[in-house]
Amino acid sequence: MARGRKPNPVTLKILRGNPSKRPITSPASSPFVAGIPPKPKDLDADAATEWDRLTRELDGVLCVADAGILRVTVDAYAMFRQAQRALQQHGLTYTTTGEAGLMVRARPEARILDSSRRAYLHALSELGATPAQHARVQSLPSGDTPDDRDSGIHKFFRPEPNRG
C-alpha cells in the first residue's frame, strides 16, 4: 500500500512550476505500454471470471508486465470464494471431543478466508483497483500514436494551432 500524500496530477505540477525540481513523470514517459496480459489457461472458474472482470475494468492501466500481480490477485480471490463457500456449507465452527471434553473450534476455512481476503485487497491496491487508489491510477500510453511516444511535458509546451 502506498503511504503519504496522494500525488498531484502531472498537469498541476507543470502549472505550479515544479518548485522541488524533481523529475516529472507521466504515463507517457513510462517504459511500459498498455496491454492486457495473456490469461493463464490453468485458472479455476472463480479466478478466470475475476481475471476477465479486472482486465476489462483496468484496460489502459495494465501492461503485460502486470501478469504476476494480476495472477496473485485472482488466485487470492478464488481462494477467498472457495473458503466462503465452505463456511456457508459447514458453518463457522466444528466440535471435537478430547480429554477436556467437548470443544468448539473455529474451522480452518475461517483463517483461510481472512488471509485470502487480506491478500486480495492488498493485490487490488497494488493494481490501483481500490477506491483509495483510484486517484493515483493513470492510464499507460498505448504506444500507437506519436503523442503517446512523446514525453508528457512536451505535450503541454507545444504551440497551439492558430485559431483565426
Side-chain angles (χ1 to χ4, degrees), residues 26-35 58-64 66 137-143 148:
S26 73
S29 63
S30 171
F32 300 103
V33 175
L58 296 172
D59 188 20
V61 175
L62 292 174
C63 70
V64 176
D66 294 325
V137 175
Q138 296 180 6
S139 295
L140 289 170
S142 66
D148 288 338

Side-chain angles (χ1 to χ4, degrees), residues 101-113:
L102 189 66
M103 294 180 65
V104 178
R105 297 180 182 242
R107 295 194 67 78
E109 291 89 344
R111 277 190 296 278
I112 294 169
L113 177 77

Side-chain angles (χ1 to χ4, degrees), residues 75-136:
D75 284 347
Y77 177 79
M79 186 160 301
F80 162 70
R81 292 290 296 141
Q82 185 178 358
Q84 198 174 41
R85 283 191 294 272
L87 289 172
Q88 287 171 346
Q89 183 179 1
H90 301 293
L92 295 173
T93 60
Y94 66 100
T95 55
T96 60
T97 53
E99 291 179 17
L102 189 66
M103 294 180 65
V104 178
R105 297 180 182 242
R107 295 194 67 78
E109 291 89 344
R111 277 190 296 278
I112 294 169
L113 177 77
D114 186 49
S115 65
S116 60
R117 180 184 292 153
R118 273 190 263 117
Y120 177 62
L121 287 174
H122 179 74
L124 283 176
S125 179
E126 290 294 318
L127 290 170
T130 62
Q133 297 296 323
H134 289 174
R136 296 178 181 208

